[in-house]
């Protein structure tokens, strides 16, 4: 695994560095003295962010559940009537155990946790894992209730090893060719780092073995179904689609 370049002023950000030390120690970190020419992580204003050294004036990619778009979406996104809540089953039952197996920047997981779900997050990309770990730690320090229902599992863990859950949520990266102009710069930077999930099809059979109630796959509206397997039904919006693979009724185990 290639080392992760991190630029930080140790004298100005000691608390953040202490709190992320256990996470950083699990990765091969290369401490920078000056900005790199390509992508790197930077500690600034108490946050860990993804930066492009060729565009230092561009806003970094930061996981911010406290005051960012994720928080706004949680407060004003439509609650249990929004599509993601209906797809997972939270419009029928609030106390669900969910594994977000492709957590990314954690935005969907934060929404689900805000609606009452207990969410375990898996993220295998070490750079993204560090960003997510930092953002979740800050949200938990601020006492956000949703953050207390989110657990970021170890970097080395995968879906096959986490055990059974009510719902498995999948949102594999799917670059949309020909629509680059529609992608905002921070997200374009994230896509540049992560690329596509070439093995996304392999996640579906594992998810179906892991979930007790259903598997939910988030896709671009016109993207093909995962692994060529048709869902039980789908909820389609303007830009995204939720494919639901129903195994049992969401209410079947409700107390």
């Amino acid at each position: 695994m290639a080392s992760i370049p991190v630029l930080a002023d140790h004298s100005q950000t000691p608390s953040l560095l202490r709190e992320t030390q256990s996470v950083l120690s699990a990765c091969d970190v290369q401490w920078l003295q000056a900005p790199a020419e390509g992508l790197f992580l930077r500690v600034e204003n108490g946050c860990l962010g993804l930066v492009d050294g060729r565009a230092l004036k561009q806003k970094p990619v930061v996981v911010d559940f406290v005051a960012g778009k994720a928080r706004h979406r949680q407060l004003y996104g439509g609650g249990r009537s929004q599509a993601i809540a209906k797809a997972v089953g939270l419009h029928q039952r609030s106390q669900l155990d969910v594994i977000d197996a492709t957590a990314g920047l954690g935005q969907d997981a934060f929404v689900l946790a805000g609606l009452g779900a207990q969410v375990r997050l898996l993220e295998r990309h070490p750079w993204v894992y560090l960003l997510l770990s930092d953002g979740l730690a800050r949200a938990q320090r601020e006492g956000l209730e949703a953050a207390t229902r989110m657990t970021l599992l170890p970097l080395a863990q995968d879906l096959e090893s986490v055990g059974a859950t009510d719902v498995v949520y999948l949102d594999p990266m799917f670059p949309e060719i020909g629509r680059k102009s529609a992608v905002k710069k921070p997200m374009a930077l994230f896509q540049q780092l992560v690329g596509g999930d070439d093995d996304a099809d392999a996640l579906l059979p594992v998810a179906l073995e892991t979930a007790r109630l259903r598997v939910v796959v988030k896709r671009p509206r016109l993207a093909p179904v995962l692994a060529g397997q048709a869902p039980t039904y789908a909820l389609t919006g303007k830009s995204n689609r939720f494919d639901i693979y129903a195994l049992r009724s969401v209410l079947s185990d409700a107390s």
Side-chain angles (χ1 to χ4, degrees), residues 195-228:
D197 286 323
D198 296 332
D199 60 348
D201 285 349
L203 287 173
L204 184 58
V206 181
L208 290 170
E209 288 292 327
T210 303
R212 286 186 289 260
L213 304 180
R214 63 177 55 185
V215 173
V216 177
V217 182
K218 183 180 180 181
R219 304 292 278 162
R221 185 172 64 89
L222 300 178
V225 297
L226 211 57

Side-chain angles (χ1 to χ4, degrees), residues 5 32 36-41 50-54 127 189 192-193:
L32 301 176
E37 293 185 359
L39 299 181
F40 64 95
L41 299 181
L50 172 65
V51 178
D52 187 347
R54 295 157 296 190
W127 294 47
L189 190 61
Q192 179 184 342
L193 171 67

Side-chain angles (χ1 to χ4, degrees), residues 56-180:
L56 291 174
K57 293 184 179 180
Q58 182 176 315
K59 187 177 180 180
V61 176
V62 173
V63 175
D64 187 2
F65 299 125
V66 178
K69 291 182 179 180
R71 178 65 169 163
H72 185 274
R73 179 184 170 194
Q74 184 202 34
L75 293 174
Y76 308 109
R80 299 184 192 280
S81 65
Q82 58 189 306
I84 188 173
K86 292 179 179 179
V88 171
L90 289 169
H91 64 306
Q92 295 179 304
R93 174 180 166 188
S94 61
Q95 295 183 344
L96 286 169
D97 293 322
V98 178
I99 292 176
D100 184 345
T102 52
L105 299 177
Q107 295 180 357
D108 286 346
F110 186 63
V111 170
L112 297 175
L115 295 174
Q118 293 286 340
V119 186
R120 287 179 284 169
L121 297 86
L122 286 169
E123 176 51 53
R124 63 182 177 177
H125 195 291
W127 294 47
V128 181
Y129 187 90
L130 289 176
L131 292 170
L132 183 54
S133 176
D134 171 60
L136 185 55
R138 283 185 281 107
Q140 291 173 343
R141 284 202 307 272
E142 291 293 327
L144 292 187
E145 184 180 354
T148 66
R149 290 192 286 270
M150 297 169 66
T151 303
L152 180 59
L153 298 176
L155 178 62
Q157 199 158 7
D158 58 23
L159 185 56
E160 291 182 294
S161 64
V162 297
T165 187
D166 293 328
V167 179
V168 174
Y169 182 82
L170 302 174
D171 181 14
M173 187 65 75
F174 186 85
E176 294 186 81
I177 306 300
R179 294 191 60 191
K180 292 184 179 179

